[in-house]
């Protein structure tokens, strides 16, 4: 459903859908995200901004997105916000021209360095994994102010983790949000969860920390959150070596619990007009909501 234009057209105009998306998104404008980030900062929570949109078809659009992020980095600096940014390679033109995408990412990372900030590179569906890793490696060779998302549902991720540890890379570990075949991704949720735990422990290991790595534990799964907190305490992992990362508006009580326990936490705040595919993926993560929404769309 996230890729269905017919449904997107209709759903985005539906008041019920617009209302329900506001749980995950403070608003469509950057200003809405910045206001929400200031509020999070007062609670001791850092943020990450991402402008929704993917798979662009024109070079001009990629330029527009790049300029937008350059401006975000300036605005974040002037506002004194503890907000990083997260970008999708396809938004920077990966499908159109790889060299252009690399240049765009480089411009953003250079500006982040000037503004003492940090850029995360999202991981998209499996055909993009090699290209994204290549983009990341080349950018990371020029600046440490860039990190990459890796997906625990892919079998290959264990090997990718091993190859990135010696670089002291900042890694955001996620379960993975796309529909992937069992030939490349664990079909069972229990296996994905276990792989997440194993990979996270490896990324928190003394060897990874000595190399200078940083781990973003990006999950709302309370069981994983607690198991990894136990690992962190048991192995005296310093708070500079990791952060929990969650999406704005999801598992608020768990977020509060982490803050109260003094754990570092960042929430990713999405904004922009192109929220439909992203929203559909969020629903897919919680199937109980899906029928409720479908009934309301067609009612
Ligand atoms: C900061 C951050 C960055 C991300 N970046 C990427 C990326 O670059 N590439 C990528 O493929 N994926 C990314 N994701 C998405 C990720 O892959 C998962 O799809 C998503 O986080 C859901 O998995 P989970 O780990 O929270 O666990 P799940 O097992 O899916 O959920 C655990 C529990 O969390 C709660 N929960 C989870 N999702 C929701 C929801 N939508 N609404 C309400 N409750 C919910 C439920 O109570 C559920 O039982 C990112 C996620 C985060 C938090």
């Amino acid at each position: 459903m996230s890729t269905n234009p017919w449904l997107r057209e209709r759903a985005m105009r539906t008041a019920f859908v617009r209302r329900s998306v506001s749980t995950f998104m403070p608003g469509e404008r950057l200003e809405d995200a910045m206001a929400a980030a200031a509020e999070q900062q007062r609670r001791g929570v850092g943020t990450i901004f991402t402008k929704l949109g993917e798979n662009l078809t024109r070079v001009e659009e990629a330029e527009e997105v790049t300029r937008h992020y350059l401006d975000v980095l300036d605005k974040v600096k002037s506002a004194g916000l503890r907000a990083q940014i997260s970008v999708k390679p396809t938004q920077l033109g990966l499908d159109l021209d790889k060299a252009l995408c690399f240049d765009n990412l480089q411009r953003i990372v250079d500006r982040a360095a000037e503004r003492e900030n940090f850029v995360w590179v999202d991981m998209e569906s499996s055909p993009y994994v090699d290209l994204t890793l290549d983009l990341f490696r080349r950018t990371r060779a020029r600046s440490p102010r860039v990190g990459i998302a890796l997906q625990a549902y892919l079998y290959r991720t264990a090997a990718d983790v091993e190859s990135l540890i010696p670089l002291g890379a900042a890694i955001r570990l996620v379960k993975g949000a796309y529909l992937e075949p069992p030939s490349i991704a664990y079909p069972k949720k229990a296996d994905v969860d276990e792989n997440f735990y194993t990979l996270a422990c490896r990324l928190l290991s003394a060897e990874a920390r000595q190399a200078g790595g940083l781990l973003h534990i990006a999950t709302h799964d309370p069981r994983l959150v607690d198991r990894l907190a136990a690992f962190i305490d048991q192995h005296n992992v310093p708070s500079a070596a990791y952060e929990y990362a969650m999406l704005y508006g999801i598992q608020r009580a768990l977020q509060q619990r982490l803050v109260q326990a003094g754990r570092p936490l960042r929430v990713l705040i999405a904004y922009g007009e192109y929220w439909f595919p992203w929203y559909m993926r969020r629903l897919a993560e919680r199937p109980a909501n899906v029928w409720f929404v479908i009934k309301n769309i067609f009612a």
Side-chain angles (χ1 to χ4, degrees), residues 24 122-123 149 151 153 172 174-178 189 218-222 245-247 250-251 268 282 285-286:
F24 310 122
D122 286 357
M123 190 58 82
Q151 298 154 326
Y153 62 16
R172 169 204 294 162
V174 299
K175 288 189 189 175
Y178 300 84
K189 186 175 173 342
T219 180
H220 314 94
D221 186 334
M246 298 194 192
L247 303 180
I250 295 183
Q251 290 279 33
L268 186 140
R282 301 290 78 76
E285 284 154 11
R286 212 180 179 214

Side-chain angles (χ1 to χ4, degrees), residues 183-212:
S183 52
I184 59 166
Y186 292 100
K188 285 197 195 129
K189 186 175 173 342
D191 293 335
V192 177
D193 294 355
E194 204 47 40
N195 197 39
F196 189 110
Y197 179 74
T198 307
L199 296 174
C201 292
R202 179 72 183 117
L203 288 162
L204 292 167
S205 67
E207 190 188 335
R209 281 185 274 131
Q210 273 152 21

Side-chain angles (χ1 to χ4, degrees), residues 4-298:
N4 184 319
W6 182 87
L7 195 62
R8 184 179 70 224
E9 274 292 297
R10 276 143 196 88
M12 286 184 76
R13 283 189 257 119
T14 309
F16 167 77
V17 173
R18 295 184 74 88
R19 240 189 349 267
S20 107
V21 81
S22 68
T23 321
F24 310 122
M25 248 180 82
E28 290 186 0
R29 299 168 315 146
L30 172 65
E31 289 70 29
D32 302 322
M34 288 183 70
E39 191 190 310
Q40 294 290 329
Q41 195 156 315
R42 285 192 283 278
R43 296 171 51 218
V45 178
T47 42
I48 307 166
F49 290 155
T50 198
K51 183 168 167 38
L52 299 173
E54 45 206 295
N55 299 86
L56 307 182
T57 52
R58 288 184 304 116
V59 166
E60 295 75 28
E61 291 174 289
E63 175 62 23
E64 214 175 286
V65 173
T66 305
R67 289 214 189 134
H68 172 78
Y69 280 122
L70 296 176
D71 183 47
V72 173
L73 289 163
D74 292 347
K75 288 191 167 129
V76 163
K77 179 74 179 175
S78 337
L81 285 176
R82 212 157 66 77
Q84 303 173 336
I85 60 168
S86 197
V87 299
K88 281 197 186 338
T90 56
Q91 267 188 298
L92 302 181
L94 187 62
D95 288 327
L96 309 172
D97 177 346
K98 289 178 196 63
L100 172 91
C101 177
F102 174 71
D103 283 349
N104 287 340
L105 180 61
Q106 198 55 56
R107 283 161 68 197
I108 295 172
V109 172
D110 285 350
R111 181 68 59 90
E114 280 165 37
R115 304 286 179 252
E116 297 167 301
N117 208 326
F118 194 85
V119 180
W120 289 98
V121 179
D122 286 357
M123 190 58 82
E124 299 174 78
S125 56
S126 55
Y128 294 110
V129 175
D130 277 319
L131 292 169
T132 305
L133 279 165
D134 178 56
L135 194 64
F136 170 73
R137 282 202 175 90
R138 287 194 289 140
T139 313
R140 180 64 177 71
R142 297 172 55 164
S143 171
R145 290 187 176 267
V146 62
I148 188 169
L150 295 181
Q151 298 154 326
Y153 62 16
L154 296 181
Y155 305 133
R156 62 170 289 166
T157 298
D160 292 334
V161 160
E162 289 310 316
S163 75
L164 291 174
I165 282 178
L167 300 183
I171 292 177
R172 169 204 294 162
L173 189 62
V174 299
K175 288 189 189 175
Y178 300 84
L179 192 62
E180 301 291 358
S183 52
I184 59 166
Y186 292 100
K188 285 197 195 129
K189 186 175 173 342
D191 293 335
V192 177
D193 294 355
E194 204 47 40
N195 197 39
F196 189 110
Y197 179 74
T198 307
L199 296 174
C201 292
R202 179 72 183 117
L203 288 162
L204 292 167
S205 67
E207 190 188 335
R209 281 185 274 131
Q210 273 152 21
L214 168 80
L215 174 63
H216 264 196
I217 305 169
T219 180
H220 314 94
D221 186 334
R223 198 166 152 267
L224 275 172
V225 165
D226 290 340
R227 277 180 88 192
L228 287 165
F231 180 93
I232 285 164
D233 292 345
Q234 214 176 351
H235 295 82
N236 297 315
V237 177
S239 57
Y242 76 97
E243 285 184 342
Y244 283 97
M246 298 194 192
L247 303 180
Y248 174 88
I250 295 183
Q251 290 279 33
R252 287 171 192 241
L254 180 60
Q255 291 184 14
Q256 188 59 26
R257 179 154 73 74
L258 287 172
V259 173
Q260 277 163 359
R263 304 272 180 199
L265 171 69
R266 265 183 205 275
V267 294
L268 186 140
I269 302 181
Y271 60 93
E273 287 156 24
Y274 195 73
W275 45 260
F276 181 76
W278 183 83
Y279 172 61
M280 279 293 135
R281 287 201 291 274
R282 301 290 78 76
L283 286 182
E285 284 154 11
R286 212 180 179 214
N289 278 348
V290 173
W291 288 114
F292 180 63
V293 173
I294 290 173
K295 272 191 284 180
N296 276 279
I297 291 174
F298 292 102

